[in-house]
């Protein structure tokens, strides 16, 4: 069983994976590199002067894997709740389980609807930490804010849900801070 299964390999899902794996949770991201980022030329991502969405994805995936998250090129067909865990089923019927589920499906929220997540119009409803109406299920990025589709917002959402899960695991508020070595 994986600690966290993330469905969606755009900036939302990858950002969540980075924080979770960096802080020791076993984390798998499912997606087939079909993110909208391949149509983007980012001139508005703070800290980066200009980068194509495709180049951004290449760097982001390397960074996430370096911290120990696994990226699997698979399409998730179904998700369901089984007691206090989740079952993630792929094309062909194979399945895995996880303790938390992060949905970063982008603009086509099939799995969130399948799980019975509450929607307002096209947006999955979440609290300020990305938690949906289904305990243990988080929604980030375009799925939660379809009318605010920006890469940096999705990445920020991913960081928020990761810190919420890490805080729940630790039983206290967690931040992920690093400092440069002292000279
Ligand atoms: C033409 C264009 C130009 C843009 N320009 C900019 C720009 O200049 N600046 C900017 O900030 N933003 C730009 N954007 C928007 C940006 O691409 C999105 O805001 C960003 O991709 C959203 O990230 P996300 O992680 O929320 O979702 P997405 O990037 O949409 O990622 C969702 C991922 O989940 C996958 N997925 C969904 N369901 C499943 C499933 N069942 N199993 C496995 N995988 C699944 C999808 O295939 C996809 O890869 C642009 C978008 C377009 C279309």
């Amino acid at each position: 069983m994986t600690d966290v299964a993330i469905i969606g390999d755009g900036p939302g899902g990858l950002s969540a994976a980075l924080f979770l794996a960096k802080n020791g949770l076993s984390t798998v991201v499912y997606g087939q590199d079909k993110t909208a980022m391949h149509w983007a030329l980012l001139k508005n991502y703070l800290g980066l002067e200009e980068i194509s969405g495709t180049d951004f994805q290449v760097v982001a995936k390397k960074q996430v894997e370096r911290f120990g998250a696994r990226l699997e090129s698979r399409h998730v067909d179904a998700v369901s709740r089984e007691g206090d865990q989740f079952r993630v089923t792929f094309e062909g019927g194979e399945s895995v389980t996880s303790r938390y589920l992060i949905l970063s499906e982008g603009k086509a929220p099939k799995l969130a609807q399948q799980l019975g997540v509450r929607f307002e119009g096209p947006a999955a409803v979440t609290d300020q930490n990305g938690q949906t109406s289904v305990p243990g299920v988080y929604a980030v990025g375009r799925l939660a804010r379809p009318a605010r589709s920006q890469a940096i917002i999705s990445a920020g959402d991913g960081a928020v849900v990761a810190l919420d899960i890490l805080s729940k695991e630790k039983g206290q508020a967690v931040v992920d801070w690093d400092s440069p070595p002292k000279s």
Side-chain angles (χ1 to χ4, degrees), residues 28-45:
V28 188
V29 181
Y30 300 103
Q32 296 173 303
D33 201 25
K34 293 181 179 166
T35 166
M37 290 293 276
H38 291 305
W39 281 270
L41 175 63
L42 302 183
K43 300 182 183 193
N44 51 13
Y45 199 103

Side-chain angles (χ1 to χ4, degrees), residues 2 5-6 16 32 45 62 70 72-73 77 90 103 116 124 129 131 136 142-144 156 172 174 176-177:
T2 308
I6 301 176
Q32 296 173 303
Y45 199 103
K62 277 195 193 138
R70 225 168 62 235
E72 290 199 9
S73 180
D77 260 6
F90 308 104
L103 301 177
N129 292 315
Q131 167 74 62
R142 282 176 116 187
L143 172 61
Q172 65 186 70
V174 168
D176 181 54
W177 290 357

Side-chain angles (χ1 to χ4, degrees), residues 8-9 20 22 24 30 36 43 45 56-58 67 71 75 82 84 87-88 92 98 104 110 123 146 154 164 175:
D9 54 353
L20 290 164
K22 182 172 184 285
Y30 300 103
K43 300 182 183 193
Y45 199 103
F56 177 96
Q57 285 292 116
V58 170
F67 283 120
L71 306 184
H75 184 267
E82 278 185 6
D84 56 1
R87 182 161 297 279
V88 176
S98 69
S104 185
K110 186 181 143 214
S154 292
D164 195 62
V175 288

Side-chain angles (χ1 to χ4, degrees), residues 3 11-12 21 32 36 44 52-53 113 129 133 137 151 157 160 164 169 173 182:
D3 290 324
Q32 296 173 303
N44 51 13
S52 77
Q113 284 165 353
N129 292 315
S133 57
V137 177
D157 279 355
V160 168
D164 195 62
E169 289 287 296
K182 294 196 168 59

Side-chain angles (χ1 to χ4, degrees):
M1 181 170 67
T2 308
D3 290 324
V4 190
I6 301 176
I7 297 154
D9 54 353
L14 292 175
S15 173
L18 187 155
F19 280 82
L20 290 164
K22 182 172 184 285
N23 288 280
L25 291 193
S26 60
T27 304
V28 188
V29 181
Y30 300 103
Q32 296 173 303
D33 201 25
K34 293 181 179 166
T35 166
M37 290 293 276
H38 291 305
W39 281 270
L41 175 63
L42 302 183
K43 300 182 183 193
N44 51 13
Y45 199 103
L46 185 68
L48 297 174
E49 289 264 357
E50 180 175 311
I51 186 169
S52 77
T54 297
D55 288 347
F56 177 96
Q57 285 292 116
V58 170
V59 175
K61 285 183 174 182
K62 277 195 193 138
Q63 193 181 10
V64 164
E65 286 188 304
R66 214 173 49 239
F67 283 120
R70 225 168 62 235
L71 306 184
E72 290 199 9
S73 180
R74 305 183 89 160
H75 184 267
V76 175
D77 260 6
V79 283
S80 58
R81 209 189 163 95
E82 278 185 6
D84 56 1
Q85 62 190 42
F86 299 97
R87 182 161 297 279
V88 176
T89 305
F90 308 104
E91 279 169 331
E94 198 189 329
S95 69
V96 294
T97 56
S98 69
R99 294 197 295 124
Y100 296 94
L101 196 59
I102 298 177
L103 301 177
S104 185
E105 297 175 84
K107 65 176 181 181
K110 186 181 143 214
L111 301 175
Q113 284 165 353
Q114 206 177 79
L115 269 168
V117 164
R118 192 159 75 82
F119 276 74
E120 270 173 18
V125 174
T126 69
D127 69 11
Q128 63 177 358
N129 292 315
Q131 167 74 62
T132 69
S133 57
V134 179
V137 177
Y138 290 80
V140 303
R142 282 176 116 187
L143 172 61
R145 305 175 205 266
R148 299 285 184 273
S149 176
Q150 298 289 165
I152 200 164
I153 293 179
S154 292
D157 279 355
V160 168
V161 305
L163 289 187
D164 195 62
I165 291 171
L166 292 167
S167 300
K168 279 195 176 126
E169 289 287 296
K170 200 165 180 192
Q172 65 186 70
V174 168
V175 288
D176 181 54
W177 290 357
D178 297 298
S179 304
K182 294 196 168 59
S183 52

